[in-house]
Amino acid sequence: MELSGAEIVSRCLAEEGVEFLFGYPGGAVLEIYDSIFKQDRFKHVLVRHEQAAVHAADAYSRSSNKVGVALVTSGPGATNALTGIATAYMDSIPLVVISGQVPSAAIGLDAFQEVDMIGCSRPIVKHNFLVKDVRELAATFKKAFHIAATGRPGPVVIDIPKDVTMARTEYSYPESVSIRSYNPPIKGHPGQIKKAAQLLADAKRPYIYVGGGAVQGGAAAQVTELVKMLNVPCTNTLMGLGALDGTDPNFVGMLGMHGTYEANLAMQYCDVLIAVGARFDDRVISVPGQFLSNPKKIVHIDIDPSSIAKRVKVDVPIVGDVKAVLTDLIAVLKEQNLKPNPDALANWWKQIDEWRKPNSLLYTPSTEVIKPQHVIETLWKVTNGEAIVTSDVGQHQMWAAQYYKFRRPKQWINSGGLGTMGFGLPAAMGAQLANPNAQVACVTGEGSIQMNIQELSTCKQYHTPVKVLSLNNRYLGMVRQWQEFFYGTRYSESYMDALPDFVKIAEAYGHVGFKVENPADVEPVLKEAFGPALKERLVFIDFRTDQTENVFPMIQNGRGLNQMDLPEHMRGMQQTPFENNRDYGNLC
Amino acid sequence: MRHILSVLIENEAGALSRVTGLFSARGYNIDSLTVQTTEDPTLSRMTIVTHGSDDVIEQITKQLNKLIEVVKVIDLNEADHIERELMLIKVRAAGKDREELKRTADIFRGRIIDVTEKTYTIELTGTGEKLDAFIKALDATAILETVRTGASGIGRGERILKI
Ligand SMILES: Cc1cc2nc3c(=O)[nH]c(=O)nc-3n(C[C@H](O)[C@H](O)[C@H](O)COP(=O)(O)OP(=O)(O)OC[C@H]3O[C@@H](n4cnc5c(N)ncnc54)[C@H](O)[C@@H]3O)c2cc1C
Ligand SMILES: Cc1ncc(C[n+]2csc(CCOP(=O)(O)OP(=O)(O)O)c2C)c(N)n1
Ligand SMILES: [Mg+2]
């Protein structure tokens, strides 16, 4: 069957089972838009800014098991998409982003709306393709979806010159794909897995450190089985939250810059560490030297060899898919009936419980002013811990991560690696489209929300009844916190002056808006927002929160996991193992 | 330490810029880079000379392998290998220096490939050190122009890089 390039684009998307295409039209993609008009296999979502198209596609993927897809025009459409692409790249999210390009003959001539999208996107994609010949179009789509979703996932850009969308060719969608230079590993090396099992069995202070790879790799069940079977403590990174139920007694909280006291100290003083799809990020272990100053044996499971031994040398590298490797590891442990020494483990738990006791997430409640932590705790209560929560970037993001106890993977959607303000609202929209029956909350700040607030319009058009919780502290709070700690409270350009009336904004876009200033109103308003009367409506809640609240614990740049700044009730507390267990550093 | 990496890569437009982009984005060094298609026209072979600690070289190798178009990477330093570089050098060759230049070129097994009344153009292959030594052996003021390819490398004996 002979089709135009544009028709082939639509066909390929349909073949890949694409449900939603997030995009924005323009000259270079008009042919493609015409082909979209003539089909009904997938829906197009018209965003209000290309950055939002990519974030929405990204969150669609993060909250489902599918590849997200976005379509933008050449030039400014393509450059607007770059922040979204970089966001997905840093968090290893599978996307296919289609960009229009000027006609082949005009490439290189500084044509109208010409930008070298292949060059611009190269450092922030897993791969990209410039399609020069319509006969290669279908095979390119097949490859792009395959590359995006397999191995370490990531965004793939397909740049299509306009003449290619107009040219015609015989169409058939390839059934399979094989790329000789691309063969991502799946199974881990059995010998290495045995070594890991033995290390676990010999451990006195074992610790499981789980990251975004376990969420992406669908390995939450295996993580849970391993943790419960051995009864070992487990922490999640910001990207790994939900891989183990946040209310599970074996869960010691998130670790890292704003991790809990117990999660960070366990990371520092464990003797055997199993890293599962986590990449020893600088916001997690801070300085490698300090982290390794208490010796430990490290097993690192990751599908990407370049994640292993990048910042920290490990003893047992295992290259493979988390799910496959954990399944094999669990099998070996069971077969050989290996488990850590019960007395040592009990001692370790005793230590961890002591670290837990002071509760590093304790904050001072108030009846005068709304505490941001209280809003998140109430959100958890009102949604029974079942909502999909997206967030923007800043203090509110950390409070959402700390206080919403995620039950499942793919329930928490945020920009961790790039830290992109403006992510939250388009992400909520994408997550709601992927999960039409779920409750979706977007936790944001008055700064971040203004970076993509125009998407309230898209939410109206596509009936995505997300609930926006803006923790409005009238500050770029995370910046203000750093200025308070490190710049002598010189709040340079971090005060958000001239804020709009957010209730009116919400209403102007056709939504429901509430302003909440009294702590007593937090719960009733959230109940109303998530209640049956407003089930079909987007509700924007402007919470006037405590302006100067800070996120604790905090690890300052250059400090170690046992050098946290602790909340007031724990100031000065020692960050070493307690007396009865003082033999730590030298074991191993 | 200096390492010489051999890379088999799909012979596709843009593949080279992925490699060079990777080096600049991650702050790795490229001392030299050569590339040409192989006997199989779908593949190109690159020789990259770089330097760095063992950890850095390990990351470079992993990052190169991660590029979708890269088929294989080997570090030639891991075993015996041969490397060669080609230099074309144009020298002033007038009067009494003319004979001396010819002799020096002969000693280094260089070939004179272009001649005018006042100049010689000499072709020389060898390791980088040999080419350096040749340049040193000449009177600096006599050198008009040099152009060097950078090293190409291959494993010794049975060691073969192929798919
Ligand atoms: C304001 C702010 C504060 C932050 N503070 C913290 C903090 O306190 N704590 C914290 O943890 N983070 C924090 N972050 C996030 C941090 O920047 C990193 O994004 C995050 O720590 C990385 O998480 P990760 O190690 O799980 O890796 P990810 O980025 O999720 O990477 C996943 C890893 O798993 C691998 N992988 C993927 N799929 C598979 C598979 N199928 N099988 C095997 N491996 C796979 C990948 O190769 C990769 O190495 C903060 C970010 C911001 C913006
Ligand atoms: C696009 C972008 N610009 C700048 C930053 C730097 N930054 C990180 S947090 C933050 C403040 C965010 O303010 P707000 O959304 O009000 O959240 P709060 O910290 O007050 O909760 C800024 C400016 C960023 N992460 N992203
Ligand atoms: Mg704020």
Side-chain angles (χ1 to χ4, degrees):
Chain A
M1 177 188 6
E2 205 184 73
L3 296 177
S4 74
E7 287 162 340
I8 291 174
V9 171
S10 283
R11 286 293 187 100
C12 292
L13 296 181
E15 290 284 351
E16 287 292 339
V18 171
E19 199 185 0
F20 293 104
L21 171 61
F22 300 88
Y24 208 93
V29 287
L30 282 176
E31 292 287 328
I32 300 177
Y33 271 88
D34 197 47
S35 81
I36 292 170
F37 189 84
K38 294 182 196 150
Q39 61 81 46
D40 59 2
R41 305 245 325 250
F42 58 85
K43 295 195 194 75
H44 180 274
V45 176
L46 178 67
V47 294
R48 303 309 191 245
H49 188 296
E50 289 88 349
Q51 183 190 342
V54 184
H55 289 331
D58 170 324
Y60 175 87
S61 174
R62 291 187 202 227
S63 64
S64 66
N65 289 311
K66 297 187 186 152
V67 176
V69 191
L71 168 62
V72 299
T73 192
S74 69
T79 52
N80 271 351
L82 290 174
T83 300
I85 296 170
T87 303
Y89 179 71
M90 292 297 283
D91 291 341
S92 308
I93 306 302
L95 291 186
V96 170
V97 178
I98 306 160
S99 54
Q101 184 52 279
V102 301
S104 308
I107 289 180
L109 303 180
D110 300 320
F112 176 63
Q113 295 195 328
E114 178 183 0
V115 82
D116 172 14
M117 184 57 169
I118 296 299
C120 287
S121 63
R122 196 186 53 231
I124 51 171
V125 291
K126 183 167 175 189
H127 196 57
N128 58 20
F129 295 96
L130 172 64
V131 184
K132 290 184 183 150
D133 185 334
V134 69
R135 286 169 299 183
E136 284 165 12
L137 197 52
T140 303
F141 269 84
K142 187 76 188 178
K143 280 187 203 164
F145 276 87
H146 174 65
I147 290 172
T150 52
R152 179 178 185 166
V156 176
V157 165
I158 307 178
D159 199 33
I160 314 177
K162 189 165 183 184
D163 55 308
V164 173
T165 65
M166 297 164 81
R168 300 183 72 80
T169 191
E170 202 53 38
Y171 166 78
S172 71
Y173 200 60
E175 304 226 316
S176 64
V177 55
S178 114
I179 305 172
R180 65 177 169 184
S181 56
Y182 176 70
N183 299 294
I186 297 184
K187 292 288 255 186
H189 191 284
Q192 296 292 88
I193 293 174
K194 287 211 179 85
K195 275 192 210 158
Q198 195 56 52
L199 272 182
L200 268 173
D202 295 341
K204 295 199 172 73
R205 300 181 305 279
Y207 197 38
I208 317 272
Y209 149 58
V210 181
V215 172
Q216 285 294 309
Q222 288 71 20
V223 166
T224 310
E225 185 177 356
L226 179 72
V227 167
K228 300 311 275 183
M229 185 174 108
L230 301 178
N231 187 27
V232 287
C234 174
T235 182
N236 290 342
T237 68
L238 182 71
M239 303 315 292
L241 291 175
L244 181 68
D245 187 334
T247 61
D248 192 293
N250 289 62
F251 184 62
V252 297
M254 179 174 86
L255 83 170
M257 180 178 268
H258 295 296
T260 63
Y261 181 66
E262 55 273 30
N264 284 340
L265 292 184
M267 188 74 169
Q268 185 68 25
Y269 298 111
C270 64
D271 71 344
V272 171
L273 179 69
I274 314 286
V276 183
R279 57 187 173 84
F280 293 92
D281 186 78
D282 47 293
R283 291 226 153 172
V284 172
I285 58 156
S286 207
V287 222
Q290 175 71 17
F291 167 61
L292 295 173
S293 66
N294 295 91
K296 43 184 82 68
K297 296 274 183 221
I298 304 178
V299 176
H300 192 176
I301 305 169
D302 204 294
I303 202 158
D304 178 1
S306 78
S307 278
I308 300 178
K310 182 171 63 179
R311 298 195 72 235
V312 167
K313 276 219 189 324
V314 302
D315 302 279
V316 183
I318 306 179
V319 176
D321 172 56
V322 262
K323 194 172 178 169
V325 173
L326 287 184
T327 305
D328 291 349
L329 176 62
I330 290 166
V332 171
L333 289 165
K334 276 187 183 159
E335 254 165 46
Q336 307 187 11
N337 196 22
L338 294 172
K339 42 174 70 106
N341 174 298
D343 293 338
L345 191 60
N347 213 23
W348 179 224
W349 271 114
K350 196 170 148 212
Q351 172 66 77
I352 286 173
D353 287 337
E354 276 187 68
W355 284 332
R356 261 177 175 168
K357 223 179 285 160
N359 184 7
S360 59
L361 295 182
L362 205 65
Y363 62 94
T364 319
S366 164
T367 50
E368 310 277 294
V369 55
I370 298 175
K371 290 286 179 180
Q373 303 93 327
H374 171 63
V375 176
I376 306 295
E377 285 181 335
T378 314
L379 173 67
W380 190 89
K381 207 162 104 187
V382 168
T383 57
N384 192 26
E386 295 289 347
I388 293 176
V389 179
T390 74
S391 93
D392 266 299
V393 174
Q395 291 182 314
H396 61 272
Q397 176 188 22
M398 293 299 111
W399 287 316
Q402 291 174 329
Y403 293 89
Y404 201 96
K405 311 288 178 205
F406 296 95
R407 296 182 188 276
R408 322 177 287 279
K410 301 206 157 224
Q411 204 190 341
W412 163 240
I413 292 167
N414 81 136
S415 165
L418 198 66
T420 311
M421 290 172 67
F423 177 79
L425 180 59
M429 193 167 80
Q432 183 79 78
L433 289 169
N435 302 272
N437 300 319
Q439 291 183 326
V440 177
C442 165
V443 174
T444 183
E446 81 297 334
S448 294
I449 191 67
Q450 294 189 80
M451 284 210 180
N452 265 325
I453 200 160
Q454 77 286 346
E455 296 309 315
L456 286 173
S457 177
T458 317
C459 289
K460 182 70 188 169
Q461 183 173 345
Y462 298 93
H463 311 290
T464 50
V466 306
K467 315 301 173 200
V468 180
L469 283 68
S470 178
L471 305 185
N472 181 350
N473 49 11
R474 279 80 79 209
Y475 274 110
L476 298 174
M478 188 56 95
V479 173
R480 191 205 56 74
Q481 176 168 347
W482 283 53
Q483 290 171 334
E484 179 185 331
F485 289 12
F486 314 125
Y487 296 93
T489 70
R490 290 182 299 282
Y491 294 149
S492 177
E493 305 299 322
S494 55
Y495 184 67
M496 278 270 105
D497 213 338
L499 282 176
D501 180 333
F502 287 107
V503 172
K504 279 196 183 143
I505 285 194
E507 288 170 356
Y509 277 109
H511 302 303
V512 178
F514 295 126
K515 178 172 166 179
V516 184
E517 287 172 295
N518 187 338
D521 295 335
V522 170
E523 184 160 343
V525 169
L526 278 172
K527 277 191 171 146
E528 187 180 350
F530 285 94
L534 295 176
K535 191 166 188 298
E536 301 302 325
R537 302 297 299 276
L538 184 150
V539 183
F540 189 112
I541 315 172
D542 180 16
F543 290 100
R544 295 302 167 111
T545 54
D546 190 345
Q547 285 195 271
T548 54
E549 188 69 31
N550 289 321
V551 183
F552 285 111
M554 172 165 182
I555 300 174
Q556 300 189 14
N557 280 341
R559 299 218 178 141
L561 288 155
N562 53 352
Q563 297 170 322
M564 291 169 262
D565 285 5
L566 293 168
E568 217 167 295
H569 70 283
M570 292 173 70
R571 293 267 151 87
M573 201 170 262
Q574 61 170 340
Q575 301 191 28
T576 46
F578 289 102
E579 292 306 334
N580 55 343
N581 283 326
R582 218 23 115 68
D583 53 351
Y584 284 37
N586 349 333
L587 287 179
C588 233
Chain B
M1 197 186 126
R2 177 178 183 274
H3 282 252
I4 175 160
L5 305 177
S6 277
V7 183
L8 270 187
I9 185 165
E10 296 289 350
N11 181 17
E12 274 166 19
L16 175 62
S17 67
R18 284 185 217 283
V19 172
T20 54
L22 170 72
F23 274 75
S24 63
R26 294 193 182 263
Y28 305 144
N29 307 294
I30 299 185
D31 297 334
S32 74
L33 186 156
T34 68
V35 57
Q36 191 37 293
T37 46
T38 62
E39 76 286 0
D40 170 354
T42 65
L43 285 174
S44 294
R45 172 142 172 180
M46 278 180 193
T47 305
I48 304 172
V49 179
T50 181
H51 62 271
S53 63
D54 289 352
D55 292 351
V56 169
I57 301 297
E58 181 181 334
Q59 267 296 316
I60 292 178
T61 311
K62 286 174 169 177
Q63 293 290 349
L64 281 170
N65 268 312
K66 208 165 134 177
L67 295 176
I68 305 291
E69 286 149 339
V70 167
V71 184
K72 250 185 193 170
V73 181
I74 59 166
D75 185 345
L76 286 177
N77 287 51
E78 281 169 3
D80 281 351
H81 65 279
I82 304 164
E83 47 182 285
R84 287 291 179 272
E85 180 174 354
L86 169 68
M87 172 167 71
L88 302 178
I89 179 162
K90 190 176 290 185
V91 290
R92 195 180 310 284
K96 62 175 171 44
D97 295 338
R98 210 168 162 90
E99 252 321 281
E100 178 60 22
L101 277 165
K102 169 88 174 59
R103 259 201 306 275
T104 313
D106 285 345
I107 293 171
F108 281 84
R109 297 186 192 218
R111 291 200 304 142
I112 296 172
I113 55 173
D114 188 42
V115 179
T116 69
E117 270 177 27
K118 291 191 187 129
T119 66
Y120 280 152
T121 301
I122 303 164
E123 171 198 311
L124 194 67
T125 52
T127 61
E129 289 100 74
K130 175 177 160 186
L131 305 191
D132 292 343
F134 182 65
I135 291 175
K136 267 208 196 126
L138 300 178
D139 168 9
T141 60
I143 299 174
L144 299 172
E145 202 179 340
T146 60
V147 51
R148 296 172 64 156
T149 56
S152 284
I154 197 162
R156 268 195 194 275
E158 301 295 310
R159 194 171 175 223
I160 283 161
L161 173 60
K162 237 187 150 90
I163 50 170

